[in-house]
Amino acid sequence: MYVYKCVSIYSPPSPSLSCLSDHHNRPLPCVPLSESNPVVHLRETRKRRGSFVVSLSATMSACKDQDPRIHGIKTKIRVVPNFPKPGIMFQDITTLLLDPKAFKDTIDLFVERYKGKNISVVAGIEARGFIFGPPIALAIGAKFVPLRKPRKLPGKVISEEYILEYGRDCLEMHVGAVEPGDRALVVDDLIATGGTLCAAMNLLERVGAEVVECACVIELPELKGRDRLNGKPLYILVEYH
Amino acid sequence: MFAGENGLQGDPRLKAISEAIRVVPHFPKPGIMFQDITTLLLDHKAFKDTVDIFVDRYRDMGISVVAGVEARGFMFGPSIALAIGAKFVPLRKPKKLPGEVISEAYVLEYGTDCLEMHVGAVQRGERALVIDDLIATGGTLCAAIKLLERVGAEVVECACVIGLPEAKGQCRLNGKPLYILVEPRK
């Protein structure tokens, strides 16, 4: 039996222009949970010009205030056992893409969160980040930047290596695609260990962009990828335990 | 069939789209003038116009599935699918899709490659649009058409942002109509 826990991440409204707030603008709810306690992450972010900003994000399971669209989304994600290798329960989002309403709801949830927040670039991680990133970018008025496996991008690139369970891999970004001061959102379908997202953030920060948030449809919280994001906030729609 | 000769004559959006595409010489190998659409994706207006042109064309054609060819077809297909209320089906390189797939091999300049689609993603009788960033020889698009037809779908049209000279004069691919926005830049 596979249980999907519903998750919403709330950030309270902040006086800072660069902080994100829950689109309902509600204070952070405290709901005692039967299975686990809410995990609260305090993140201190220093703004580029030296002022101090604190953003609070909380991961909650089975939150009673969750958006009603979340349920429709999580039920559309298919789990494929033992892919790509034995023991891995693969989270297949292609079945979500087959449901126009659920797919639209997924995009809408991200767009509602990021519209009007001055995000100038959405960076999507190859290849499933290419499915969610561009519709978000188009809707919020941002450019889309593909972050790709080696030797796919033509012309001048910068590379960031990252560690896999066995071995290494590499993510590349075009030189000149992102500029200093760009406010960036990183998008992928899923966060597991956080290695790929970390590499993505490094690429963006190396060229002087500010990574505002990482956004994924699915999180595998037991792999603690959230802790590998150098304190950057993570917004997800669905957890898989 | 080129958009600029069929219904969009003089449309200024086409010129802006063409100019947003970057040519990278000798990639991935000497002699190839690579048409790089990533610069189009950096131009929000031109990118939006690209999607809008396809959406305007396909919204009333009863299309229930948009099939995008990995990986650059993924950058255009989902937005079109969302806007016209169709599902999006990724057509992928081998061993990327989990679960049961059907495969179609196709010929490259040297050797062969393979495109895969999930079993059950597309039903018999569905009307499908195939999307990729560029058509060169048409080999990949032909494989895409075959995958969809093998499960009983009707391919209404193949749509690409760029059409190379080899594709020019081909209004049809495997008997299927082809719709292209721009020619390659020099």
Side-chain angles (χ1 to χ4, degrees):
Chain A
M1 276 296 127
Y2 308 124
V3 176
Y4 284 96
K5 299 265 172 93
C6 326
V7 172
S8 296
I9 310 269
Y10 291 97
S11 301
S14 154
S16 156
L17 287 172
S18 66
C19 263
L20 299 163
S21 60
D22 165 32
H23 65 273
H24 295 297
N25 276 330
R26 287 174 294 193
L28 204 63
C30 280
V31 180
L33 301 168
S34 54
E35 282 167 278
S36 59
N37 288 316
V39 176
V40 174
H41 298 268
L42 261 174
R43 307 202 192 286
E44 292 179 316
T45 341
R46 196 176 298 275
K47 271 178 72 175
R48 210 155 275 286
R49 276 167 282 282
S51 59
F52 214 36
V53 156
V54 174
S55 67
L56 191 72
S57 63
T59 307
M60 314 195 83
S61 297
C63 181
K64 65 176 185 303
D65 290 323
Q66 75 165 21
D67 192 293
R69 293 170 286 183
I70 297 278
H71 177 76
I73 291 165
K74 70 183 174 152
T75 55
K76 288 296 172 178
I77 297 165
R78 174 174 76 151
V79 180
V80 180
N82 302 313
F83 182 89
K85 53 187 198 194
I88 299 204
M89 304 299 285
F90 188 88
Q91 306 291 310
D92 182 16
I93 48 90
T94 66
T95 39
L96 173 65
L97 311 177
L98 296 179
D99 182 330
K101 181 185 186 306
F103 184 22
K104 183 178 186 303
D105 286 344
T106 305
I107 299 300
D108 285 349
L109 281 160
F110 290 123
V111 170
E112 286 162 21
R113 182 173 181 84
Y114 299 115
K115 198 168 194 156
K117 300 298 193 300
N118 275 318
I119 307 261
S120 53
V121 53
V122 174
I125 298 179
E126 171 161 21
R128 290 180 289 264
F130 294 176
I131 295 173
F132 297 96
I136 298 168
L138 285 168
I140 69 174
K143 53 192 178 186
F144 178 73
V145 171
L147 305 181
R148 299 210 66 175
K149 295 287 162 68
R151 293 176 299 280
K152 301 292 185 72
L153 290 171
K156 218 165 157 215
V157 297
I158 59 169
S159 294
E160 182 78 19
E161 217 178 44
Y162 60 101
I163 311 285
L164 295 173
E165 191 183 4
Y166 299 109
R168 300 161 185 271
D169 208 338
C170 201
L171 212 56
E172 293 187 341
M173 181 172 78
H174 264 139
V175 168
V178 175
E179 286 161 337
D182 264 328
R183 284 168 52 77
L185 174 69
V186 184
V187 174
D188 206 355
D189 64 322
L190 178 145
I191 175 172
T193 62
T196 321
L197 277 171
C198 195
M201 290 186 341
N202 288 344
L203 281 171
L204 290 157
E205 291 185 334
R206 277 165 61 187
V207 298
E210 176 195 351
V211 176
V212 175
E213 194 156 87
C214 294
C216 301
V217 180
I218 307 162
E219 179 187 16
L220 307 181
E222 269 122 32
L223 298 181
K224 301 191 189 310
R226 183 181 290 274
D227 299 338
R228 285 188 67 175
L229 300 182
N230 291 336
K232 288 296 179 182
L234 173 70
Y235 179 70
I236 55 153
L237 303 185
V238 172
E239 275 183 357
Y240 180 74
H241 292 266
Chain B
M1 162 189 353
F2 278 84
E5 292 152 16
N6 290 279
L8 293 181
Q9 288 87 335
D11 192 317
R13 293 176 300 176
L14 291 177
K15 182 164 180 290
I17 290 166
S18 178
E19 287 172 357
I21 294 165
R22 172 175 77 151
V23 181
V24 180
H26 310 303
F27 182 89
K29 53 186 199 197
I32 300 201
M33 303 298 280
F34 188 88
Q35 305 290 311
D36 181 15
I37 50 91
T38 65
T39 41
L40 173 64
L41 310 176
L42 296 178
D43 180 336
H44 178 263
K45 182 178 187 317
F47 184 20
K48 185 173 185 307
D49 286 342
T50 304
V51 172
D52 286 349
I53 290 171
F54 287 129
V55 169
D56 288 342
R57 180 175 178 82
Y58 298 115
R59 85 164 76 241
D60 295 322
M61 284 196 185
I63 289 173
S64 57
V65 53
V66 175
V69 179
E70 169 163 21
R72 289 182 288 266
F74 293 5
M75 298 178 195
F76 298 94
S79 299
I80 299 168
L82 285 163
I84 69 175
K87 52 193 184 188
F88 178 73
V89 171
L91 305 181
R92 298 209 67 173
K93 295 289 165 65
K95 299 187 283 291
K96 302 289 186 72
L97 290 171
E100 225 192 323
V101 297
I102 57 168
S103 295
E104 183 73 29
Y106 60 101
V107 178
L108 296 173
E109 192 182 2
Y110 299 110
T112 59
D113 207 338
C114 202
L115 211 56
E116 293 186 342
M117 182 174 77
H118 264 139
V119 168
V122 177
Q123 263 71 61
R124 182 161 299 278
E126 292 213 69
R127 288 167 58 77
L129 171 69
V130 181
I131 178 108
D132 206 355
D133 66 322
L134 176 146
I135 173 173
T137 61
T140 321
L141 282 173
C142 268
I145 294 168
K146 291 206 180 105
L147 280 171
L148 291 157
E149 291 186 331
R150 276 167 61 187
V151 298
E154 178 197 345
V155 176
V156 174
E157 196 155 88
C158 293
C160 300
V161 180
I162 308 162
L164 293 202
E166 299 98 290
K168 192 153 191 166
Q170 267 197 61
C171 271
R172 306 185 83 80
L173 193 66
N174 252 19
K176 296 300 167 186
L178 183 60
Y179 187 73
I180 299 167
L181 295 193
V182 298
E183 293 186 41
R185 299 187 72 197
K186 301 286 178 285

